[in-house]
DNA sequence: GATGACTCACCGACCGCCAA
DNA sequence: TTGGCGGTCGGTGAGTCATC
């Protein structure tokens, strides 16, 4: 290695904040955009220097101890010093999509994978000003992909077909990137998230007290009926309200408050400032996915519904099965 | 030693406020 | 008008501590 290239390699940063995608309504994007699968895992920035790999989360938390196999594999497959961007995931073999729930259980397992989608520095050269296509082409050249180290390809096909396929398999959705875009730190409109939307009607069985400056209520406690006529607890919904809705809901729920929990099944919370109500109000809930133990993940509240009787509210299921696994902890 | 409760650190969604 | 940021929520597993 020449003195010049050695000096150049000193330019490689110890850290840089990752580029983040902006959530938008799922829609076809114009020519000049490329689609990638939206992976559901932990964002990972990999800094490779002199054969040593340092993995960090998007908030600069070291990940080497959690994923030693990934660091080891990348060290043997990276050809030179570089900074890479990717996602650590656990692939759900049944559905062929990544699963955050699985990843949480398999942190140190050999079944996790690092899917790389960008190369930001190589041998000290700053690549962030190059167009996305050039960076991806270089990424393919400088890493020997294989084992747990995967290349995230651009997907071929129409938006409609790609999106439909991702959602049908229970995937998170798609990421669309402007093909000529530079890599910039933080949230950018050049990368957008096109998420598959799950919605479910659920019966409101209670609420929690608001905290801090919040008024009205903290979160709704919601559930659904099953064949046996019992109300199954499905989780808390604490976001999606504006101020007016919070106050309106608090008023309506206050009128139907009662002493005992209406939930007959599920791991119902017992701690904190809980209020129970007669199960007469139905909320339309948007959420990312069902957890293996039948709870909502990333729920939000779009609004109330009154076109159905509470007893008709049962869990809607996708054609494909949800991830099956044991539950390890109770709801807090 | 086993079990349960609790805290912490992640990622993510959303609203409201404020500065550019 | 738009983007950034803080605050308030959600779920998860890991780690620690107290209790049985």
């Amino acid at each position: 290695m020449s003195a010049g290239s050695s000096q150049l390699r000193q330019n490689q940063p110890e850290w840089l904040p990752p580029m983040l995608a902006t959530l938008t309504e799922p829609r076809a994007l114009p020519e000049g955009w490329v689609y990638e699968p939206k992976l559901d895992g932990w964002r990972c920035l990999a800094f490779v220097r002199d054969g040593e790999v340092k993995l960090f989360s998007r908030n600069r938390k070291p990940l080497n101890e959690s994923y030693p196999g990934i660091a080891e594999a990348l060290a043997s497959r990276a050809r030179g010093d570089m900074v890479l961007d990717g996602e650590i995931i656990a692939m759900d073999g049944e559905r062929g999509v990544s699963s955050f729930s699985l990843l949480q259980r398999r942190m140190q397992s050999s079944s996790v994978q690092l899917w790389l989608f960008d190369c930001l520095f190589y041998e000290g050269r700053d690549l962030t000003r190059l167009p996305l296509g050039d960076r991806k082409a270089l990424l393919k050249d400088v890493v020997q992909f294989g084992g747990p180290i995967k290349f995230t390809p651009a997907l071929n096909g129409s938006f409609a077909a790609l999106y439909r396929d991702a959602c049908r398999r229970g995937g998170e959705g798609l990421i669309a990137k402007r093909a000529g875009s530079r890599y910039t730190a933080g949230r950018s409109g050049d990368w957008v998230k096109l998420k598959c939307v799950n919605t479910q009607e659920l019966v409101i069985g209670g609420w929690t007290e608001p905290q801090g400056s919040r008024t009205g209520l903290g979160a709704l406690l919601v559930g659904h009926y099953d064949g046996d006529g019992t109300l199954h607890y499905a989780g808390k919904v604490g976001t999606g309200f504006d101020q007016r809705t919070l106050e309106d809901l608090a008023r309506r729920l206050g009128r139907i408050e009662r002493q005992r929990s209406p939930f007959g099944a599920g791991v119902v919370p017992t701690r904190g400032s809980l209020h129970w109500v007669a199960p007469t109000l139905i909320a339309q809930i948007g959420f990312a996915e069902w957890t293996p133990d039948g709870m909502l993940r990333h729920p939000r509240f779009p609004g109330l519904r009154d076109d159905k009787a509470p007893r008709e509210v049962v869990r809607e299921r996708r054609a494909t099965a949800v991830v099956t696994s044991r539950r390890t902890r109770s709801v807090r």
Side-chain angles (χ1 to χ4, degrees):
Chain A
M1 181 180 26
S2 70
S5 68
S6 172
Q7 197 171 19
L8 196 57
R9 286 170 58 189
Q10 299 303 313
N11 295 336
Q12 180 167 308
E14 297 287 319
W15 166 253
L16 77 166
M19 186 165 178
L20 304 174
T22 304
L23 181 66
T24 67
E25 286 297 311
R27 66 181 193 282
L29 290 155
E31 205 173 324
W33 287 73
V34 294
Y35 299 103
E36 291 178 5
K38 185 176 187 314
L39 303 169
D40 191 15
W42 279 34
R43 187 69 175 271
C44 176
L45 287 151
F47 295 77
V48 185
R49 191 167 208 151
D50 297 326
E52 188 191 354
V53 173
K54 289 181 182 170
L55 305 175
F56 292 100
S57 73
R58 71 180 213 175
N59 291 333
R60 211 175 176 175
K61 186 203 168 195
L63 297 176
N64 285 56
E65 282 189 21
S66 299
Y67 304 102
I70 294 290
E72 199 176 314
L74 185 57
S76 67
R77 292 175 177 278
R79 302 179 179 127
D81 290 1
M82 60 190 78
V83 179
L84 306 170
D85 193 358
E87 187 101 358
I88 292 176
I89 65 162
M91 193 59 86
D92 176 357
E94 287 181 23
R95 294 185 297 163
V97 295
S98 56
S99 164
F100 189 78
S101 302
L102 274 182
L103 180 63
Q104 299 261 323
R105 291 191 293 276
R106 294 182 184 173
M107 275 186 112
Q108 305 219 11
S109 145
S110 59
S111 60
V112 296
Q113 302 167 347
L114 172 59
W115 284 70
L116 294 167
F117 47 73
D118 220 320
C119 181
L120 316 183
F121 275 80
Y122 181 64
E123 298 291 20
R125 290 187 179 83
D126 182 357
L127 310 178
T128 58
R129 293 173 189 174
L130 295 181
L132 172 67
D134 292 359
R135 300 199 306 272
K136 280 193 92 101
L138 190 74
L139 171 61
K140 264 182 148 170
D141 286 343
V142 300
V143 176
Q144 185 192 350
F145 288 96
I149 309 301
K150 309 287 187 188
F151 179 73
T152 310
L155 300 172
N156 293 316
S158 70
F159 163 77
L162 294 172
Y163 183 74
R164 194 171 50 238
D165 183 56
C167 298
R168 196 178 53 226
R169 289 188 291 131
E172 278 262 292
L174 300 172
I175 292 281
K177 298 178 177 178
R178 199 188 295 275
S181 62
R182 297 175 174 185
Y183 191 97
T184 54
R187 195 78 58 188
S188 166
D190 288 335
W191 288 12
V192 298
K193 282 184 277 193
L194 309 166
K195 293 188 75 170
C196 298
V197 179
N198 274 318
T199 61
Q200 165 80 55
E201 294 147 8
L202 292 161
V203 178
I204 302 174
W207 82 91
T208 64
E209 283 286 326
Q211 294 182 14
S213 58
R214 179 91 165 233
T215 57
L217 57 88
L220 296 173
L221 309 172
V222 297
H224 57 83
Y225 284 96
D226 231 330
D228 56 4
T230 39
L231 187 59
H232 290 247
Y233 178 68
K236 296 177 183 173
V237 185
T239 191
F241 317 101
D242 57 24
Q243 192 56 39
R244 216 171 83 182
T245 309
L246 280 172
E247 286 163 10
D248 180 51
L249 274 173
R251 262 196 311 275
R252 294 179 71 161
L253 292 170
R255 287 199 289 266
I256 55 172
E257 186 170 5
R258 66 182 214 184
Q259 290 296 314
R260 295 186 59 190
S261 162
F263 297 107
V267 188
V268 183
T270 54
R271 310 181 73 83
S273 309
L274 305 172
H275 297 266
W276 306 114
V277 297
T280 55
L281 289 177
I282 300 172
Q284 179 81 21
I285 303 297
F287 62 102
E289 65 176 357
W290 287 101
T291 64
D293 51 330
M295 306 290 283
L296 301 165
R297 185 164 166 246
H298 294 158
R300 56 200 174 276
F301 175 85
L304 287 173
R305 307 186 57 128
D306 53 9
D307 56 346
K308 225 176 188 182
R311 289 271 172 186
E312 293 173 33
V313 174
V314 295
R315 178 173 162 183
E316 296 166 5
R317 294 173 191 274
R318 284 179 180 276
T320 50
V322 297
V323 185
T324 54
S325 73
R326 66 190 173 87
R327 168 148 182 87
T328 55
R329 296 182 72 89
S330 61
V331 171
R332 287 194 292 273

